[in-house]
Amino acid sequence: MIGNPRRWAPLLAGLVLLAGCGAGDPVAAPAGHGDHATGPAADAVVNCGVDVPVQRPERVVAMFQNGIEAVLALGAGDRLVGAAYLDNPLPAQLDPDFRPQSYWPEEYPSREEVLRVAPDLVVSGFTGAFTREGLGTRAELGATGTETFLFSAYCPTADGGDQQSIGDNDVSFAGVERDLTDLGRLLGAEDRAAQVVAGMRGTLADVAARLDGVTDRPRVAMLNSPGSTGELRVFGTGDVATTIIEAAGGRQAFDTLAGRQRTVSLEGVVAASPDVIVIPACCGRDVGPEGAEPLAERLRNDPALATVPAVRDGRVFTATFAEISPGIRNSDAVATLARRLHPDRFGG
C-alpha cells in the first residue's frame, strides 16, 4: 500500500456491498487537483475530480497519520468518531484532542466497521482507503451518504484506483496548502486552515532566507525497510519527500526513481551515492525517530555501504514517517533537514 508499510489485513470474505454500491464502472477522475470541464458546483470542493459538498460534517473518520493530524489541527477533533493507523506520536498540542469513538491501530477496518460509526465524511491521507479492497470507491461510499476527501498528492487516475494508478499529481507545498484549505472549508474551519497554512509558509520562508545563495546541495536519500523482508525502499521523485529535500537545500539522490517506497538494492544505494540518508520511523502511536535506529545501524555497519558518503561521513539520520507524508508537518520537516544539510546557516 502506498504511504504505509503495513500489510493490509484481508477484509471479511462475506462482506456484501451495500445497496447501490458497485453498480457500473468506477467513475473516472483526472489526475491531480482541478475542476471538472463544466466547473464545480458553487457549494462544493473539487478533490481528485470528485465534487465534495460543502456541508459541515458532524461525524468524521480520518485515515492515516496525515489525515488524522489535519482533522485535529483544523479543530475538528470533537467530531472525530473513527480513526485508523497512527504511524508516530501525535504532536503534543494535538494529542489531547485525539479521542475517537473507534480507533483501529493495527488492522485496516472493514467498510462495515467504518459505516457502523455513521461518518458524514471520511478523510484519507493515502489512496488505499478508497479502493474496493479497502472501504470501497468514493462513488460507492457516496452512495451510502458518506462524503470523502483524499490528499491530492495521491489522486488515482480513476476512482477506486490503487497505488499503481496514482497519476502525475501536484506534490508541491502549494498542493498541500490547497488540500488543507479545502479541508478547512469542508469542516467549516476556514480560519483555522488559514492559520495553519500561514504558519507553514512562515517556516518555509525562514528556511529559504537562511539558505539564500547556497550552491552546495547534498544528495539526500530517504529510505526505509517495512515489514520483515529486509528489503530497502526509497522515497523517490513525484513525492512530497523530494519537495522536502529540495526546499531543505538538498538534491534527490534517486532522481531517476519515481514514486513512494520503491524497492532498491544495496547496489542501487551505492550507485546513488547519497551524501545524507534519512530513515523515517514507522509504525505505531508510540514509535518516534528512535524506531528507525535498527535500520540506521544496519546501514552504518554494512560493509557493502562503507564507501557511500553518507555512511562514511556519519550522516545517517532518523526521522518519522509523519514528517514526510503530505500534511501539516512538512514545513517543520524542511527546517529539520535544512539544519542537518546546512548547519552553518542555522548557527550550528
Side-chain angles (χ1 to χ4, degrees), residues 213-278:
V214 163
T215 56
D216 177 23
R217 293 180 168 265
R219 293 171 58 82
V220 181
M222 288 192 180
L223 302 169
N224 75 349
S225 182
S228 58
T229 64
E231 69 178 12
L232 291 174
R233 294 186 186 175
V234 64
F235 298 79
T237 64
D239 185 83
V240 75
T242 296
T243 306
I244 292 169
I245 289 169
E246 292 175 348
R251 291 183 294 146
Q252 169 63 262
F254 289 90
D255 55 4
T256 61
L257 190 59
R260 187 178 181 89
Q261 293 211 89
R262 301 293 298 277
T263 301
V264 64
S265 65
L266 286 178
E267 292 78 9
V269 176
V270 173
S273 191
D275 301 299
V276 172
I277 293 174
V278 177

Side-chain angles (χ1 to χ4, degrees), residues 206-216 338-339 341-348:
D206 177 69
V207 172
R210 291 174 182 271
L211 297 182
D212 185 46
V214 163
T215 56
D216 177 23
R339 290 187 182 95
L341 301 185
H342 304 283
D344 56 309
R345 297 296 182 110
F346 292 84

Side-chain angles (χ1 to χ4, degrees), residues 290-318:
E290 69 282 352
E293 273 301 322
L295 177 57
E297 282 300 297
R298 172 183 141 197
L299 299 183
R300 292 174 186 134
N301 297 317
D302 193 325
L305 301 178
T307 61
V308 172
V311 175
R312 181 193 65 209
D313 300 335
R315 304 189 78 188
V316 178
F317 303 109
T318 61

